[in-house]
Each structure stands twice: as C-alpha cells, then as structure tokens.
Amino acid sequence: MVNAIVLLNVQSDRINQVAEELADLDGISEVYSVAGQYDLVAMIRARSDEQVASLVTEGLLRVEGLLSSETLIAFRTYSNHDLDGMFSVGLD
C-alpha cells in the first residue's frame, strides 16, 4: 500500500465541487477542506506507485478548478491505534 497526501489550491467558487469529484476517484480515500495555505487535502491510499502517479498526473488534471497541487509520499504511517497496540503488549 502506498499512501500520499495531496495539498491543493482550488478556485474559491469550486471548492465543494472539486472535493466531491476528488472523493469519487478510485484511490482517494478522503478529502478534507482545510484552513491555511491550501484549500483541500486529499489522502491517497493506492495499491502501487503507478496508481499514485496515474491519480496525480491524470485523475487530478481532469478536475476543473484545480490551480496547483503538492504531493507528499508517505514513507511510514503512525496512528494512535498502532501506538496503543505497541505499548499494550504484555499488559493483559
């Protein structure tokens, strides 16, 4: 599994439509509307690097209203669930 985070700047009048279109793309698991430098954050959970590349270079380009994007590839994933499991070993 390959995880990536895509930071997006979007036309202000298309933020909701872009978010919905992105959420429908295979491989994008969530889309967040955020405050700050970016308008949306899309989470990619893909089967391969090729699927990530296809989503970023083809899928996103088909969505009208995107102004710019920055893609971050995740090397490791940490979550509270994973940490709880590690620290609870032997506490039964």
Side-chain angles (χ1 to χ4, degrees):
M1 177 75 54
V2 180
N3 296 306
I5 300 99
V6 184
L7 309 172
L8 301 152
N9 287 313
V10 180
Q11 290 176 346
S12 59
D13 62 336
R14 296 233 349 117
I15 291 174
N16 292 337
Q17 293 89 347
V18 169
E20 290 173 8
E21 288 180 44
L22 291 174
D24 286 339
L25 293 175
D26 185 38
I28 295 184
S29 58
E30 302 99 18
V31 179
Y32 299 97
S33 174
V34 296
Q37 181 178 351
Y38 298 98
D39 301 307
L40 297 172
V41 175
M43 305 300 293
I44 295 177
R45 300 187 201 294
R47 295 177 298 278
S48 65
D49 291 332
E50 290 77 22
Q51 185 183 12
V52 172
S54 177
L55 272 168
V56 171
T57 61
E58 297 170 17
L60 295 179
L61 293 178
R62 292 189 186 121
V63 178
E64 184 182 334
L66 288 180
L67 300 174
S68 65
S69 68
E70 183 174 351
T71 302
L72 309 171
I73 302 295
F75 296 123
R76 291 188 180 142
T77 302
Y78 300 90
S79 73
N80 287 336
H81 176 72
D82 295 335
L83 296 175
D84 288 345
M86 280 193 320
F87 290 111
S88 67
V89 172
L91 295 179
D92 293 333

